[in-house]
Amino acid sequence: TLVRLRSASPLTHREVYPEADGTVHLPALAAQAFRLEVSLVGYAILNRRFELGAAEDLDLGTLSLESGGRIRVRMAGQAPGSEVVVHVLDAQGRTIQVLQMAEGKGVSGPLSTGPVTLRVHPAKGAVRFANAIIVAGATTPIRLSAGPGASRVLRITRKNGKPLQSRTTLRVVDA
């Protein structure tokens, strides 16, 4: 288990390992805002924010780690040697992991359960988005396309070639 403590300043952080009984002591911390990050292989990374006042002792109590889930991404049509980067975003749109796709494949580290969004940055073409649900103890397969589909413009007409009326409702269904 690794416990990483980051302060508001990106230059200040500490990394410590728990004692045999699981406790962690971080003495002589300045009064400020901190982000605590706890990681253990096979579990989702736990992030907690807290504020420490002057000369304050703070007990965060027992912190429980969730069994993590993973995503396995397969990118159809990725050209050999091309770079595709996939950002895994939390519900607030913050990047929580970055996958470097190798030969059209990538697997995340453990992620917290629940919904995530994938932001796909292909070497060429438009950025794409996909949604996934992370399930504890499971690997969720995601299939994406590296082709130009996301950036195509479609002109939709009636069978007789006339344009659709502006009030026409279109229903788009994934194939």
Side-chain angles (χ1 to χ4, degrees):
T1 304
L2 173 64
V3 177
R4 180 175 291 135
L5 186 69
R6 296 184 188 273
S7 70
S9 164
L11 301 176
T12 307
H13 75 276
R14 292 189 192 181
E15 292 182 353
V16 296
Y17 293 90
E19 295 175 14
D21 65 356
T23 59
V24 175
H25 298 278
L26 298 162
L29 296 174
Q32 60 182 326
F34 288 95
R35 182 171 57 96
L36 180 71
E37 182 181 288
V38 182
S39 62
L40 177 64
V41 174
Y43 292 86
I45 294 172
L46 173 77
N47 284 294
R48 289 274 167 89
R49 295 184 188 282
F50 64 92
E51 187 95 19
L52 187 62
E56 178 182 7
D57 285 335
L58 181 65
D59 183 350
L60 296 176
T62 300
L63 303 175
S64 299
L65 300 178
E66 287 184 20
S67 176
R70 297 176 186 268
I71 54 173
R72 180 184 310 114
V73 179
R74 290 188 183 264
M75 179 74 65
Q78 181 178 346
S82 67
E83 288 188 25
V84 175
V85 178
V86 177
H87 289 254
V88 182
L89 310 175
D90 65 12
Q92 289 75 38
R94 295 179 300 226
T95 298
I96 53 177
Q97 278 194 37
V98 178
L99 305 177
Q100 297 289 336
M101 302 294 291
E103 298 180 15
K105 299 175 186 173
V107 178
S108 74
L111 295 162
S112 295
T113 57
V116 294
T117 299
L118 305 179
R119 185 175 64 211
V120 183
H121 297 266
K124 293 182 182 176
V127 172
R128 295 169 176 77
F129 292 87
N131 294 317
I133 303 291
I134 305 303
V135 178
T139 299
T140 303
I142 306 291
R143 298 192 74 118
L144 302 170
S145 171
S151 59
R152 284 190 190 139
V153 175
L154 300 177
R155 190 181 85 165
I156 301 173
T157 61
R158 293 189 224 166
K159 286 184 180 180
N160 63 10
K162 293 183 180 178
L164 295 172
Q165 299 296 319
S166 62
R167 292 183 303 209
T168 302
T169 302
L170 299 176
R171 185 170 166 221
V172 179
V173 180
D174 258 345

